[in-house]
Amino acid sequence: MANSSDYLNYSLKSRVLWLCCMVTLFSVTCTHKPADNGDYSDEFKVIFKNTEQLIFHNKINESMRYLDSAVATIPHPTINDRFRTYGLHYVATKRAKGDNVNGLLYADSMVQYAKKSVTTKQYSENFAEANFSKGDVLFDIKRYNDAYECFYQGYLVGKNYLNNDALSDYTYRMGMIMYKQGHYKLAVNYFKDSYKQSSSKQNFVAFYRRQEILDNIGLGYKKLNNPDSAMFYFTSAIEYIKAYGHNYPEKANFMDIGLGVVYGNMAEVLVKQGKHQQAIDLLKKSISINLRKGNDNIDAQLTEVKLGQLYLDNNQIDSLKSLLAVMRRQLDTLKNENAEADWNRLLANYYLKNKDFEKAVRYLQGYNIQKDSIDKKLLSLKESDVNQQLANYEQQHEINTLSNNNKLQKTYLYVAIICAVMLSVIISLIYRNWKRSRKAFFTVNNLNKQINEQNNVLEDTLTELNGHNREKDRIMRAVAHDLRNPLGGIASLTSSMMDDEYTDEQKELINLIKETSYNSLELINEILEATNNSNGKLNKEFVEINALLSNSVELLRFKAAEKNQKIVLELLDTPEELFISREKIWRVISNLISNATKFSPFGSVIYVTVIDNDNDVCVAVKDKGIGIPDNLKTQVFHMFTDAKRPGTAGEKSFGLGLSICKQIIEKHDGKIWFESTPGAGTTFYIQLQKQSTVV
């Protein structure tokens, strides 16, 4: 990964990886088959090879002119020919030139041609690649919600078509986002998942991505102040490059780029360990590699910043001055906003050392201006809630799936009715013939008819009952879904009206409408969750309970901080994997912790504890809040219960959350219960069984 200790970015190495990815996808599908069977035409294979050579020699404009003119000569270009043509234009505009506007247009064209795929394999590869390409452009132009939706579409393709490469690309991007948002523990988990899912094929793309992920994991552990783990993964990345890099002799400079990046990151760990001279040697080695023409010059500049800081810390003022002079010449040629800011900071400190306070202040002001600009660009990313957006997309996907299933079931019902009518006609004809030919069987036929009629009545009754039950859930979901959009619009309109000039009384009424709309939206979401849980099938997998609890608590610490509350987490000494639905159990834990914050006073402490029993694992959420009165204890797990009370800060309660939790836990063959003393607090327990194998 080309970055400094604080910056993850798509630099030269990322652009190279994109190009190589397309090269590999092309080579994998290039077989001598008839046109339009999901492969490339023979003419395009030659064109692609020539275009690839021009791009690798950095002749971007010439390569695109050649590509367009050559493709125009193909008599019958295939879908893959068109898709890869737009893909190459995307690489040239977005990755090589940084042109996001045209990059987005080419990504849209890739999506359209991916939808025209003629084979399942072609669709699973092209549609995932197109959505990830489009998502990357949208992410760069800060349309984060749109980018997350594209990433989710790529994830669905990977999940539905068992495309592990697509899943690896998705978890890699989630890791990048979590890292940039400062959620380093989540980032490490995503990068580890991406490494497990990444292709084991012997090609350059898979090799280069895997060494990059190892480096990313090391960066995450460095941010978590875990130097031993960080050094382990940095060392693993270097060993991986040296072990397999010789398989790609034509790309030897890329091996040097990867090693140079890792050396720079390792040096930061050595600094924290007090091994300054070793760190200096590694930093110089990294800089000498990536300052070469065609290598990752951006990373070299960021590594020079690290070296300058080390010179400053060790009072090597002359070395610092020489380095800053070299950097100035580089920055005048190759712009780098992050390195420019740190150059001003280092120069300010240099003048402070020399007691030239006037110059020090001038460069420090320049640093502050540039740092504020960088921080503002990251602010909207840090404020975006990727997990909530992805949860919304998953919920919408489930609703669409249910809708399609209902249509399919209705079709089956029509077919069944037609078959029943035809069967009735056949039975009638048989009965008439029997009556004419053998009057002796009249009594027997009469009895059979009565039995058949009774069976039909029973079947119709059962069908009607089942239909009413399904219709009830469908209507509830449809009503809740249809109400959500207008209520969301009302909430948005009232929010915008608050900025207009109204009287205090009018603003109070507008605020009342807004709060009522948000409360209604929350109730609708609870109803949708309740109906989905009653009918939905669990997607179980082995989940490490410590990691699940840690992620849940980390995401809810911000909510607790609004009431100056603290969440204390006590995990198992030894990790334990449970065969559960990750999303559903996360929902239960989050609901219990949210309730604890809601009904606890400001400044209180909430304890989340996990206990390993012989045959099960028990999770306890304990608060010192208002407790549950005795007359309400039997009602808290009922849907639409009257046991609803406002939180300590007036938070709204709908009474559906604990009912949903009970449904989820019982579907896992587990138990949920609580112990509560009014005025002294409540402890909720969930018990989940251990399971060594998947049943």
Side-chain angles (χ1 to χ4, degrees):
M1 178 187 299
N3 49 43
S4 70
S5 62
D6 293 316
Y7 308 113
L8 291 174
N9 53 64
Y10 288 105
S11 62
L12 169 66
K13 187 169 68 171
S14 297
R15 294 195 293 270
V16 168
L17 188 58
W18 265 91
L19 175 61
C20 293
C21 181
M22 291 193 172
V23 172
T24 303
L25 285 172
F26 179 87
S27 62
V28 167
T29 20
C30 283
T31 54
H32 294 284
K33 299 178 183 178
D36 263 341
N37 64 347
D39 198 3
Y40 298 89
S41 65
D42 292 336
E43 297 93 332
F44 187 82
K45 295 173 186 177
V46 177
I47 295 170
F48 182 90
K49 185 177 180 180
N50 294 335
T51 305
E52 171 198 348
Q53 291 300 318
L54 291 171
I55 293 176
F56 270 121
H57 289 87
N58 206 30
K59 298 179 179 179
I60 305 300
N61 294 330
E62 182 180 344
S63 68
M64 293 301 101
R65 287 194 296 269
Y66 164 77
L67 174 66
D68 290 337
S69 60
V71 169
T73 65
I74 301 177
H76 303 289
T78 65
I79 296 297
N80 255 19
D81 293 350
R82 295 295 189 189
F83 176 85
R84 189 54 57 205
T85 298
Y86 286 117
L88 288 168
H89 272 289
Y90 172 86
V91 171
T93 55
K94 170 66 178 70
R95 299 298 169 190
K97 298 181 179 179
D99 182 353
N100 288 318
V101 174
N102 287 311
L104 185 57
L105 295 175
Y106 286 122
D108 280 329
S109 298
M110 291 170 68
V111 172
Q112 294 305 314
Y113 272 94
K115 291 179 179 178
K116 299 178 182 179
S117 298
V118 296
T119 68
T120 301
K121 181 176 182 294
Q122 180 188 29
Y123 177 83
S124 67
E125 293 176 349
N126 290 357
F127 193 71
E129 178 188 343
N131 274 283
F132 287 137
S133 299
K134 184 175 180 180
D136 289 340
V137 181
L138 293 169
F139 190 91
D140 284 353
I141 62 178
K142 299 179 176 56
R143 289 171 56 182
Y144 297 120
N145 289 342
D146 293 336
Y148 298 156
E149 185 173 6
C150 289
F151 294 158
Y152 179 76
Q153 291 300 322
Y155 159 77
L156 280 182
V157 170
K159 183 176 74 170
N160 294 336
Y161 292 87
L162 303 179
N163 185 342
N164 280 334
D165 288 337
L167 292 176
S168 178
D169 285 341
Y170 170 78
T171 49
Y172 170 81
R173 283 166 172 79
M174 291 301 100
M176 296 283 286
I177 294 169
M178 290 299 104
Y179 187 98
K180 290 181 179 181
Q181 289 184 333
H183 305 313
Y184 302 116
K185 194 168 186 179
L186 290 175
V188 166
N189 291 335
Y190 272 121
F191 286 136
K192 287 183 177 179
D193 288 342
S194 180
Y195 186 85
K196 292 176 184 177
Q197 296 160 344
S198 60
S199 175
S200 58
K201 301 174 185 176
Q202 292 300 314
N203 61 63
F204 179 74
V205 174
F207 157 79
Y208 210 74
R209 170 56 61 82
R210 285 166 75 87
Q211 66 83 25
E212 181 185 3
I213 293 173
L214 290 172
D215 185 40
N216 289 354
I217 298 172
L219 283 171
Y221 277 121
K222 180 177 70 66
K223 283 292 187 180
L224 291 170
N225 200 25
N226 189 338
D228 292 336
S229 296
M231 191 62 75
F232 171 81
Y233 281 99
F234 289 147
T235 303
S236 298
I238 292 174
E239 292 174 352
Y240 190 86
I241 294 172
K242 292 182 177 179
Y244 300 101
H246 62 84
N247 294 327
Y248 314 99
E250 72 281 6
K251 297 181 175 65
N253 64 311
F254 299 145
M255 310 305 153
D256 290 340
I257 293 172
L259 289 172
V261 171
V262 179
Y263 290 151
N265 293 331
M266 287 181 71
E268 290 186 279
V269 179
L270 292 173
V271 170
K272 291 185 177 181
Q273 294 175 339
K275 302 175 182 178
H276 288 187
Q277 189 54 50
Q278 293 182 40
I280 290 174
D281 294 339
L282 273 182
L283 290 172
K284 289 181 177 179
K285 191 173 183 180
S286 173
I287 294 167
S288 67
I289 291 173
N290 281 329
L291 273 183
R292 299 171 191 165
K293 183 179 180 181
N295 284 6
D296 199 340
N297 300 153
I298 295 292
D299 182 78
Q301 291 176 337
L302 297 173
T303 306
E304 286 175 321
V305 170
K306 302 176 191 177
L307 181 60
Q309 184 62 50
L310 197 51
Y311 283 151
L312 181 65
D313 294 340
N314 288 278
N315 207 31
Q316 299 179 21
I317 303 304
D318 292 336
S319 298
L320 174 62
K321 182 180 179 182
S322 300
L323 177 63
L324 291 175
V326 171
M327 286 185 64
R328 184 65 267 164
R329 292 192 295 272
Q330 296 169 358
L331 291 170
D332 289 340
T333 303
L334 179 63
K335 300 300 181 183
N336 184 338
E337 186 179 29
N338 295 318
E340 183 78 32
D342 282 323
W343 181 86
N344 279 287
R345 177 179 57 81
L346 290 171
L347 193 58
N349 281 283
Y350 167 80
Y351 283 118
L352 280 175
K353 290 281 187 181
N354 288 279
K355 301 186 184 306
D356 189 342
F357 301 110
E358 182 178 349
K359 290 183 179 179
V361 169
R362 185 169 75 242
Y363 285 105
L364 190 59
Q365 288 175 339
Y367 165 75
N368 288 332
I369 292 172
Q370 290 172 321
K371 192 70 170 63
D372 287 343
S373 173
I374 294 169
D375 290 341
K376 286 179 182 178
K377 292 178 181 178
L378 290 174
L379 183 61
S380 58
L381 171 61
K382 292 183 177 180
E383 289 177 346
S384 66
D385 190 346
V386 60
N387 293 302
Q388 182 60 49
Q389 287 297 324
L390 294 175
N392 292 340
Y393 297 142
E394 181 69 25
Q395 188 178 63
Q396 187 60 48
H397 174 68
E398 291 177 1
I399 292 171
N400 292 338
T401 301
L402 287 172
S403 177
N404 293 334
N405 289 340
N406 285 338
K407 293 178 182 178
L408 186 61
Q409 289 173 0
K410 188 177 291 185
T411 302
Y412 289 154
L413 179 60
Y414 292 152
V415 172
I417 292 172
I418 293 172
C419 291
V421 171
M422 293 177 64
L423 182 61
S424 299
V425 172
I426 293 171
I427 292 173
S428 299
L429 290 172
I430 293 173
Y431 175 74
R432 186 185 64 179
N433 290 334
W434 280 2
K435 184 178 179 181
R436 288 178 178 178
S437 61
R438 303 183 66 178
K439 292 182 179 181
F441 293 123
F442 176 81
T443 304
V444 175
N445 288 337
N446 208 21
L447 291 173
N448 285 335
K449 182 180 178 182
Q450 293 177 9
I451 293 171
N452 287 333
E453 288 176 351
Q454 290 173 354
N455 286 337
N456 287 335
V457 170
L458 289 173
E459 289 176 0
D460 290 342
T461 303
L462 288 174
T463 300
E464 186 176 359
L465 287 173
N466 290 331
H468 286 170
N469 188 48
R470 289 193 299 269
E471 186 68 12
K472 179 264 294 180
D473 285 345
R474 186 190 68 78
I475 291 173
M476 186 177 291
R477 285 193 297 270
V479 170
H481 181 268
D482 290 341
L483 284 175
R484 183 164 56 181
N485 288 336
L487 284 173
I490 291 171
S492 299
L493 286 172
T494 52
S495 295
S496 63
M497 288 173 68
M498 291 299 293
D499 297 330
D500 296 332
E501 295 182 1
Y502 291 100
T503 65
D504 292 339
E505 182 180 358
Q506 289 172 329
K507 287 187 176 181
E508 183 178 357
L509 292 174
I510 292 171
N511 189 55
L512 179 61
I513 294 172
K514 182 180 73 173
E515 291 180 357
T516 303
S517 299
Y518 281 122
N519 289 336
S520 299
L521 284 172
E522 186 176 351
L523 175 58
I524 287 169
N525 289 331
E526 295 284 357
I527 291 173
L528 285 173
E529 181 71 14
T531 56
N532 288 338
N533 283 327
S534 63
N535 299 315
K537 182 180 178 182
L538 293 177
N539 296 319
K540 291 186 178 182
E541 59 181 318
F542 279 104
V543 178
E544 207 282 289
I545 192 64
N546 278 356
L548 181 61
L549 284 170
S550 297
N551 293 345
S552 298
V553 169
E554 287 298 323
L555 292 174
L556 289 169
R557 289 192 190 278
F558 298 102
K559 184 175 181 180
E562 294 175 0
K563 296 175 72 174
N564 198 25
Q565 295 169 342
K566 180 180 179 182
I567 302 176
V568 176
L569 176 61
E570 297 180 14
L571 299 174
L572 296 174
D573 295 333
T574 303
E576 181 69 41
E577 290 190 339
L578 302 179
F579 190 62
I580 57 176
S581 168
R582 181 190 299 271
E583 293 80 8
K584 299 298 184 183
I585 297 302
W586 178 88
R587 164 76 165 154
V588 172
I589 294 168
S590 298
N591 191 284
L592 295 180
I593 297 175
S594 295
N595 281 349
T597 61
K598 181 185 298 181
F599 297 110
S600 294
F602 284 76
S604 64
V605 179
I606 296 159
Y607 298 90
V608 181
T609 307
V610 56
I611 302 169
D612 189 355
N613 300 323
D614 292 337
N615 299 315
D616 57 68
V617 169
C618 183
V619 179
V621 179
K622 180 180 181 181
D623 64 63
K624 297 293 184 180
I626 61 178
I628 302 172
D630 293 337
N631 63 325
L632 298 180
K633 288 183 177 179
T634 59
Q635 305 177 39
V636 294
F637 290 116
H638 294 171
M639 187 174 292
F640 302 111
T641 177
D642 291 328
K644 297 179 286 189
R645 296 178 296 159
T648 55
E651 298 98 328
K652 187 74 173 176
S653 175
F654 301 106
L656 289 174
L658 290 175
S659 173
I660 294 171
C661 292
K662 184 176 177 64
Q663 290 179 19
I664 293 172
I665 296 301
E666 288 180 349
K667 276 196 172 185
H668 283 81
D669 297 323
K671 291 171 59 180
I672 180 170
W673 72 96
F674 66 89
E675 296 173 358
S676 180
T677 302
T682 303
T683 303
F684 274 87
Y685 301 91
I686 59 172
Q687 180 178 299
L688 297 169
Q689 297 178 0
K690 294 181 180 179
Q691 190 169 350
S692 57
T693 57
V694 179
V695 180

